Amino acid sequence: EKGDEHGQYWLACLWQQRDNVEAFRWYLKSAERGFVDSQYKVGLRYRNGEGCERNEELSKIWLQKAYDQWQ
């Protein structure tokens, strides 16, 4: 909760075993801080509706952010 995007990512990974909504919340926090792995996970989760409402537009936005960083 102190804003460490790596910690938020790993916390999300732990939550995904038990609660997809809570996992999504932590992936999103990390993604908003610029962590590329979380941006990719958020994009996939929006595409598949895992822990959030399915949203193709937001999926594309987050996957593009991740792609841009991998370039």
Side-chain angles (χ1 to χ4, degrees), residues 2-3 8-9 11 15 20 25-27 31 34-35 37 40 44-45 63-64:
K2 295 184 181 192
Q8 291 167 336
Y9 173 81
L11 188 56
W15 271 110
N20 273 329
R25 187 172 80 85
W26 287 103
Y27 281 129
F35 192 57
D37 292 349
Y40 177 71
L44 290 180
R45 285 175 168 267
L63 290 173
Q64 186 65 52

Side-chain angles (χ1 to χ4, degrees), residues 3-63:
D4 177 63
E5 61 273 9
H6 294 96
Q8 291 167 336
Y9 173 81
W10 289 110
L11 188 56
C13 290
L14 292 172
W15 271 110
Q16 96 181 12
Q17 308 278 326
R18 297 178 183 222
D19 184 338
N20 273 329
V21 173
E22 191 66 16
F24 178 78
R25 187 172 80 85
W26 287 103
Y27 281 129
L28 186 59
K29 282 179 178 276
S30 177
E32 289 170 340
R33 297 190 59 79
F35 192 57
V36 68
D37 292 349
S38 291
Q39 290 173 340
Y40 177 71
K41 291 272 193 176
V42 167
L44 290 180
R45 285 175 168 267
Y46 271 128
R47 187 180 72 192
N48 298 323
E50 293 179 66
C52 61
E53 223 175 281
R54 198 166 185 274
N55 187 317
E56 197 64 36
E57 186 62 33
L58 286 174
S59 173
K60 289 177 185 177
I61 289 169
W62 284 107
L63 290 173

